[in-house]
Amino acid sequence: MAFRLTGDREQARLYLLTAILFISYLCVAIALPVVPVFVTGALGLGNGWAGLGVGIAFLATILTRGYAGGLADGRGAELAVQRGLIFYVAGALISPAAGLALQAPAAAFAILVAGRLSIGLGEGLVAVGVIAWGIGLVGPQRSGRVLALIGAAIYGALGLGGPVGLLLLDHLGFAGTMAVSAVLPLLGLAAIRSVPAVAAHPGRERPPLAAVIGRIWVHGLIVCLQGMGFAAIGSFFTLYFRDLGWDHAGLGLTAFGCGFVLVRLVFGHLPDRYGGLSVAVVSLAVEAIGQLLIWSAGDPTVALIGAFMTGLGCSMIFPAMGREVVHLVAPHLRGTALGGFSAFQDLAYGLTGPLAGVLADRAGYGSVFLVGGATAVCGFVIAVALRRGKVVAAG
């Protein structure tokens, strides 16, 4: 009975940590559909600049992942989360100044980039810190479940943050929207004090980050390829709908988020039960279908179904591959490995924005989702090959 009570307490703490992440991540989510609308509309810049405005945050996150993992391993996950939330607040407070400098678009964009960089740095710290914290609370044998819940919080926030961000933009303008979003990580900073800390691993020998990545890069590549589908929806779904004159542009991230969270909550146990690669193969096939539905859609309903299916497909790939990564390294390197692994997803998000923006200028917004479907197919092929290789090796 004591064991059961201890397990229940750890599970409750994990749920609390997940709820805190959800509230804090709304700061990131609110900005995603707002930034491209602000850049192309208020600043009058092209789609490439809009994609850069979104993607620069994810490129900043890449630079933080190694530091975040080392900080979580060596000094504690809670410290990484605290520092990340402070960067969230700083970025959300810098960004409103861009809305006050509309007469100088170049200066306004530079201010926006500064705010987005701060948010990106915060995201690297918060995501890795929360993952390490959650695994520390319930143990590595449940790492797949931890990653599933944390992803549900992140993408649930993305699903809610999209329409909320556009609603705030209509009523408060860009500066007001960013100012409101700064309150959310402050709530997170206050709430994390109620979650107990987990043990750090100071003084242990640590190989270079490059050596750790050398063990996990194939799993990271799969996550990178799947991430392009989400990045396409986050950066250009709203502009795609507006270009076609369709209503309900803000529901793209909502449809994606609903599919994503549904799978995480109902099937979050599958990677721990059946293995990450088996789950990833099915998931990538579903994502590819979703992206191709958006590309070929003749009406908004089909496009929203495609966004929903993309969410269904994307949902389990990160925890599925993350579970494999956790079991490839020693306990004192889990934060570092997850930091390097997460950087592959950041790479997808960071590159997709500006590159897809250039593609949209030349071939239309629909082409962005065609490429998203193609990259999901590439990820599917690699996952199948990796799974077959494991089966052969095991035999």
Side-chain angles (χ1 to χ4, degrees):
M1 177 65 70
F3 176 80
R4 173 67 179 273
L5 290 175
T6 300
D8 289 345
R9 188 182 303 115
E10 291 170 345
Q11 188 73 9
R13 289 168 174 170
L14 177 61
Y15 285 138
L16 175 59
L17 187 63
T18 302
I20 292 169
L21 176 63
F22 171 80
I23 293 170
S24 303
Y25 204 83
L26 284 170
C27 175
V28 178
I30 285 173
L32 272 182
V34 169
V35 167
V37 173
F38 173 71
V39 172
T40 58
L43 299 185
L45 300 176
N47 289 312
W49 293 106
L52 179 62
V54 173
I56 195 71
F58 297 112
L59 292 175
T61 303
I62 295 174
L63 301 178
T64 318
R65 292 296 195 186
Y67 167 72
L71 183 64
D73 285 335
R75 298 185 59 188
E78 64 278 8
L79 179 60
V81 175
Q82 288 171 358
R83 291 186 179 179
L85 292 174
I86 290 171
F87 274 115
Y88 275 175
V89 176
L93 292 178
I94 292 170
S95 298
L100 304 177
L102 299 181
Q103 300 304 315
F109 187 78
I111 295 170
L112 174 66
V113 165
R116 297 289 296 159
L117 285 171
S118 182
I119 288 176
L121 294 173
E123 186 171 358
L125 287 158
V126 170
V128 173
V130 169
I131 292 171
W133 203 341
I135 292 174
L137 287 173
V138 302
Q141 71 278 3
R142 302 177 70 184
S143 56
R145 181 61 174 166
V146 172
L147 288 162
L149 281 173
I150 289 171
I154 290 174
Y155 287 94
L158 289 169
L160 177 62
V164 168
L166 292 174
L167 182 66
L168 290 173
L169 181 65
D170 289 339
H171 289 82
L172 301 178
F174 179 77
T177 301
M178 294 297 99
V180 169
S181 70
V183 176
L184 301 165
L186 286 174
L187 297 175
L189 274 171
I192 59 173
R193 297 179 181 180
S194 61
V195 183
V198 295
H201 302 277
R204 299 292 297 272
E205 182 180 353
R206 303 182 189 282
L209 179 61
V212 177
I213 290 177
R215 301 188 63 183
I216 64 170
W217 72 270
V218 177
H219 302 80
L221 178 60
I222 292 171
V223 167
C224 179
L225 291 168
Q226 71 84 23
M228 294 180 180
F230 162 68
I233 291 177
S235 298
F236 293 105
F237 196 91
T238 299
L239 296 176
Y240 180 47
F241 264 48
R242 293 191 175 192
D243 182 61
L244 293 172
W246 290 346
D247 295 328
H248 311 301
L251 292 181
L253 278 173
T254 301
F256 176 93
C258 287
F260 192 101
V261 173
L262 174 66
V263 171
R264 285 282 176 105
L265 295 180
V266 177
F267 301 111
H269 63 286
L270 292 183
D272 290 329
R273 179 174 295 183
Y274 297 108
L277 287 167
S278 297
V279 173
V281 167
V282 176
S283 298
L284 285 158
V286 174
E287 180 191 358
I289 293 170
Q291 287 284 284
L292 294 175
L293 275 177
I294 300 173
W295 165 66
S296 62
D299 62 73
T301 301
V302 174
L304 289 171
I305 291 172
F308 178 75
M309 288 193 66
T310 301
L312 293 176
C314 286
S315 183
M316 294 306 301
I317 299 171
F318 186 89
M321 293 296 93
R323 176 194 177 276
E324 303 296 308
V325 167
V326 166
H327 292 279
L328 284 173
V329 298
H332 70 284
L333 295 175
R334 285 185 187 129
T336 302
L338 288 167
F341 170 69
S342 300
F344 283 90
Q345 184 165 265
D346 303 329
L347 182 64
Y349 296 165
L351 291 179
T352 299
L355 293 179
V358 174
L359 179 63
D361 282 336
R362 299 192 176 194
Y365 292 111
S367 62
V368 173
F369 303 103
L370 176 60
V371 172
T375 57
V377 170
C378 291
F380 171 85
V381 172
I382 294 171
V384 169
L386 188 60
R387 183 172 179 271
R388 287 179 176 173
K390 281 200 167 190
V391 170
V392 172

